[in-house]
Amino acid sequence: MSLPIIDLPSARPWPPRVSAFTKPFWDALMEGRLITTRGKRSGRLTFPPKPFCPHDWGREVEWVELSGRGKLYAQTVIHAAPAAFAGEVPIRNGIVDLNEGLRVAARIVGEPALDTAVECVVLRYSDGPLFGFRAIET
Amino acid sequence: MTRRVAVIGGAASPIGKLQTAADAPLQALEHEILAPLVIDAMATAGLPKEEVGALVFAMCRPYTLQKYFATFMANCLRLPLTGTIMEVLGNGMTGGMAFDVAVNTVALGQADVALALGINMESQVASADHAMSTMRATGDVDFHTIFGFTPIAWYAMDAVRYMHEFGAARAQLASVAVKDRRHARLNPIAQFRKPLSLEEVLAARPIVEPLGLYEVPPRGDGAVCLVVCREGVAKATGRPYALVRGRGFSHEGAHQISEVPSDMTAFVAAQGAAAAAYRAAGIAPADLDLAELYAPCSIVQVLAGEALGLTPRGRGAAQAAAGETSLGGRIPICTSGGCLSRGHPAYVTGLLTIYELWEQLTHRAGERQVRNARLAAGSCELGNYNAALIHILEAVA
């Protein structure tokens, strides 16, 4: 399943560091997939992805693909932003509860109301991806 | 075996712009501001300098040039010590932790008198530049900071969720800032003392929606010194003091956001810390005469007040608007004017909290005195109240 992709002409204002472990996450996102890790013993998902399970400290994890769908739990519009983000103001960010039972924070695209069903979109900047959520069109 | 501990003295600078521009010919130096406060605080305690056995500092902001500030100050004040000396850091909890460690040092018998103190200088650093540092203090640098979240952006999301779930009115939330300003007008150290109307709060330029300029923390500097001692030492001075009756701490094991969906606006760490503090003190929230809450935004004061059981869940904003948390109301909250108007030099805010409680419980609070104040609570926090540290103090005269 491939997520919708929105191409953006600029570079990310403050790009994430990528480790050998998190590289699969960012590579998958670039291809339109939202993935994270699940503890093999606990069976529980975690986000951000981690090389162990924070719930039971199991050392074995596996990558799983997420639906990218959920509900908007909270949001804000940031007008006073750190210097690096001056070019993106105003910034709408929010918190989404994914259908898989994970809570994530991300950019919000459009102006969905709280508790609206939302879907993940890949924000493909010139230097790499971020992710956001927007209302699912009905 | 631990000993009972009292707050016997204190002194604070005016809160506001103390820091000088980098190119100013005459500079404001941290030790020249803080050292006189140490002398003032010890004078209020009525104790000689030789009694001091420990110094616990809130860490300075990175903008303070002098490193190893604690031992530098021990030299500056010529204070040999047998208890401990350190600088502590815990984001917004920093000042509260400095107080907590000073109390523990005395409770454990490592010192009879300990100073909890600090100075926070940052006002000359532009907000957008300061935010380049603070944005890395909340959430995950590689998975949250990348979107441009700032510390107060998380509180703003609390406000949106709270209004959505409980139907709190925007104006009710804004009334917290008006109330805090009324309190600050009676506080000589407050950063903002001009009248502020509800209309002005609602019309302010947006900072993190729905919160505008007057509902987010002002930038400012400040310095404070508290004198903490064994209760026997306090008694021997013959002066009124504030006894530490209870202490509670809780951290929910989450940094800004829990990946396991939870009730974000419940502030569960504050609930847990408050329950522990009330249990230790043997009191219920209804026994409190006032509370000084660490609340950088209007919404935070509402949510923390609810988590401490001062107002019912979902009713905190409405009760603030109704005057229940004002001076003269059922349970006055942030009689100092709080972070919003007293000011928020963040690393010493937790110390300013105890300073206000000490002033109130020793009946030094002047026009903002809570009549017959006997029991008071102070809180501090970090993240989105992911951790909370709460102290209960009692007046002893």
Side-chain angles (χ1 to χ4, degrees):
Chain A
M1 173 176 156
S2 187
L3 303 172
I5 294 174
I6 298 174
D7 279 306
L8 297 163
S10 57
R12 292 170 295 183
W14 213 76
R17 298 167 302 175
V18 176
S19 69
F21 177 78
T22 61
K23 189 168 187 300
F25 172 86
W26 297 108
D27 288 349
L29 192 61
M30 198 64 174
E31 296 164 2
R33 291 181 304 123
L34 184 68
I35 65 173
T36 194
T37 48
R38 178 167 62 198
K40 280 192 175 175
R41 187 171 68 196
S42 70
R44 298 184 68 180
L45 295 164
T46 186
F47 195 88
K50 295 173 187 67
F52 61 93
C53 175
H55 301 292
D56 72 347
W57 290 6
R59 293 175 191 276
E60 290 193 33
V61 298
E62 58 193 345
W63 288 98
V64 293
E65 184 168 350
L66 299 166
S67 67
R69 299 199 159 199
K71 279 187 176 177
L72 184 63
Y73 179 76
Q75 64 181 328
T76 183
V77 180
I78 299 167
H79 294 265
F85 290 87
E88 294 213 323
V89 169
I91 299 167
R92 185 176 290 262
N93 284 346
I95 294 174
V96 172
D97 286 341
L98 295 174
N99 293 344
E100 291 89 348
L102 271 186
R103 178 168 286 179
V104 301
R107 184 62 48 82
I108 302 299
V109 177
E111 298 184 10
L114 292 202
D115 294 339
T116 297
V118 292
E119 63 180 357
C120 185
V121 292
V122 178
L123 305 174
R124 200 159 60 186
Y125 287 80
S126 62
D127 67 328
L130 295 180
F131 54 100
F133 289 87
R134 69 181 182 192
I136 296 174
E137 287 178 24
T138 50
Chain B
M1 188 67 189
T2 64
R3 312 186 297 175
R4 281 154 64 102
V5 180
V7 183
I8 183 66
S13 73
I15 309 307
K17 299 203 183 304
L18 308 178
Q19 196 181 32
T20 37
D23 59 356
L26 293 177
Q27 293 286 304
L29 303 182
E30 284 83 350
H31 62 283
E32 292 182 0
I33 296 169
L34 185 56
L37 294 176
V38 172
I39 296 168
D40 291 346
M42 288 296 284
T44 64
L47 293 170
K49 73 187 282 261
E50 291 72 22
E51 297 279 324
V52 176
L55 297 178
V56 186
F57 287 80
M59 188 168 264
C60 295
R61 287 290 195 185
Y63 319 118
T64 286
L65 202 60
Q66 179 69 53
K67 303 278 278 184
Y68 291 137
F69 188 74
T71 48
F72 167 81
M73 284 301 297
N75 174 75
C76 178
L77 292 158
R78 196 153 290 275
L79 269 180
L81 305 163
T82 53
T84 191
I85 182 164
M86 69 178 82
E87 297 166 52
V88 303
L89 177 64
N91 283 6
M93 194 175 277
T94 297
M97 288 171 91
F99 175 68
D100 200 48
V101 172
V103 168
N104 289 344
T105 300
V106 173
L108 289 171
Q110 295 170 350
D112 275 350
V113 178
L115 304 184
L117 69 172
I119 181 165
N120 179 107
M121 297 284 258
E122 61 167 75
S123 67
Q124 290 293 328
V125 182
S127 292
D129 295 326
H130 183 60
M132 287 301 290
S133 168
T134 59
M135 72 176 186
R136 295 186 287 125
T138 54
D140 183 311
V141 166
D142 301 308
F143 284 85
H144 296 135
T145 305
I146 53 176
F147 297 109
F149 282 106
T150 56
I152 57 174
W154 301 92
Y155 298 135
M157 292 193 289
D158 288 329
V160 171
R161 189 70 206 177
Y162 180 80
M163 291 194 293
H164 176 73
E165 279 187 25
F166 296 102
R170 180 72 193 83
Q172 290 174 336
L173 202 54
S175 77
V176 171
V178 179
K179 181 268 297 176
D180 279 359
R181 181 61 62 90
R182 277 202 310 270
H183 292 178
R185 296 193 68 200
L186 307 176
N187 187 354
I189 69 164
Q191 184 168 3
F192 299 103
R193 302 182 63 193
K194 287 185 192 152
L196 180 67
S197 71
L198 184 63
E199 292 68 33
E200 287 173 286
V201 177
L202 289 169
R205 70 180 163 91
I207 303 296
V208 280
E209 291 184 35
L211 307 176
L213 183 66
Y214 298 113
E215 289 177 89
V216 302
R219 305 282 311 291
D221 313 312
V224 55
C225 176
L226 300 172
V227 184
V228 170
C229 66
R230 178 169 60 82
E231 190 185 14
V233 172
K235 263 195 191 344
T237 66
R239 301 186 182 197
Y241 57 90
L243 181 69
V244 180
R245 275 279 303 269
R247 178 261 196 200
F249 175 84
S250 176
H251 184 259
E252 59 180 317
H255 186 65
Q256 215 65 41
I257 177 173
S258 165
E259 73 205 90
V260 181
S262 62
D263 183 354
M264 183 173 77
T265 61
F267 282 8
V268 293
Q271 290 178 358
Y278 294 146
R279 198 163 51 240
I283 67 163
D287 297 324
L288 292 170
D289 297 300
L290 70 148
E292 188 75 14
L293 304 180
Y294 184 101
C297 299
S298 53
I299 180 64
V300 184
Q301 190 176 124
V302 168
L303 299 183
E306 293 181 6
L308 267 72
L310 307 178
T311 55
R313 180 89 168 113
R315 296 280 303 151
Q319 292 202 346
E324 294 200 31
T325 61
S326 296
L327 271 170
R330 179 176 60 78
I331 173 71
I333 295 179
C334 292
T335 54
S336 69
C339 293
L340 295 178
S341 280
R342 185 272 323 282
H344 184 45
Y347 282 2
V348 298
T349 290
L351 290 168
L352 289 169
T353 293
I354 304 296
Y355 177 71
E356 175 67 11
L357 297 186
W358 171 73
E359 287 216 304
Q360 287 283 356
L361 295 175
T362 55
H363 295 259
R364 302 168 155 264
E367 286 184 275
R368 66 184 196 291
Q369 181 66 49
V370 175
R371 290 186 62 180
N372 302 318
R374 190 178 73 85
L375 282 168
S379 77
C380 59
E381 59 121 358
L382 52 78
N384 193 15
Y385 255 93
N386 305 115
L389 175 61
I390 293 172
H391 291 94
I392 310 289
L393 273 59
E394 179 181 19
V396 180

